[in-house]
Amino acid sequence: MLWRSTIQTENLEKPEGFSPETQEAQVGDAIFWVNEDANVEHQPCPSLDAPTTWCKSPLQGPEPSNQVNLATAGTIDYLCAIHPWETAKIVVANPVQIGRQASGTVSFVPQTVDISVGQSVSWANSDWEPHQPAPLSGPSTAWFAEPIPSGEVSGPITFGIAEEVLYRCVVPGHDETGTISVT
């Protein structure tokens, strides 16, 4: 998926800086920024030590940046090289697909996800029915208050300790299961 973020300081009716302030994405997604200011340059970067990593030069309004591919799970804190007080972050989650196989059964793919402590997982529902992943050892609403609708991607769930988490779909009549191995 390709995500769009904006940067602006001139329109006082909108939030100043990056919008959204926190972007949720999956490994394999990409993001680009658009400068919405007419008279102020902005330059998104991962750190002041690497101001040209993402944008070789400052963005003029309403110029978009090139896309940045999100190849690794984790949280990317970033800022504007010109205005370092403008900050934001991207939470890049490990993707799990919920989909119907050729046999007609629904499964989580991959069935086992290996992640590191502090990383996140999000689920993309490519099935025509809603699905609601939940840990076997917790309530059905432990991760999501409602099922993930068809065609939607869940928000990320972050895992803070090393453990093996067995989970299932809690929608009545569904029996798909999966494992998240956190090391």
Side-chain angles (χ1 to χ4, degrees):
M1 193 172 280
L2 183 61
W3 298 100
R4 178 183 191 266
S5 183
T6 61
I7 321 159
Q8 77 87 34
T9 58
E10 295 176 335
N11 184 345
L12 299 179
E13 294 178 12
K14 289 183 167 183
E16 187 174 311
F18 293 99
S19 183
E21 229 175 286
T22 300
Q23 179 69 59
E24 298 173 349
Q26 289 184 318
V27 171
D29 288 352
I31 188 169
F32 71 99
W33 294 267
V34 175
N35 180 358
E36 291 190 337
D37 286 336
N39 302 304
V40 179
E41 296 179 333
H42 296 281
Q43 189 168 10
C45 65
S47 77
L48 288 178
D49 295 332
T52 60
T53 300
W54 292 342
C55 301
K56 300 300 177 205
S57 59
L59 300 174
Q60 310 293 319
E63 181 181 10
S65 71
N66 290 326
Q67 76 178 31
V68 172
N69 296 318
L70 306 171
T72 306
T75 299
I76 303 168
D77 293 304
Y78 67 94
L79 67 157
C80 175
I82 300 166
H83 312 104
W85 57 89
E86 296 172 358
T87 62
K89 68 180 174 181
I90 308 165
V91 179
V92 184
N94 293 279
V96 173
Q97 193 76 20
I98 307 168
R100 203 160 290 271
Q101 307 307 308
S103 64
T105 61
V106 177
S107 62
F108 296 114
V109 178
Q111 189 167 12
T112 299
V113 180
D114 296 315
I115 66 171
S116 299
V117 170
Q119 288 187 340
S120 302
V121 173
S122 62
W123 288 262
N125 184 0
S126 63
D127 190 29
W128 60 76
E129 293 184 278
H131 293 276
Q132 188 169 359
L136 285 178
S137 62
S140 62
T141 57
W143 293 340
F144 307 109
E146 300 287 329
I148 305 162
S150 176
E152 297 291 320
V153 177
S154 75
I157 301 298
T158 303
F159 295 86
I161 60 171
E163 63 181 330
E164 185 170 270
V165 179
L166 304 175
Y167 70 96
R168 65 186 173 15
C169 179
V170 295
V171 172
H174 292 216
D175 62 358
E176 59 270 20
T177 60
T179 304
I180 301 166
S181 180
V182 187
T183 56

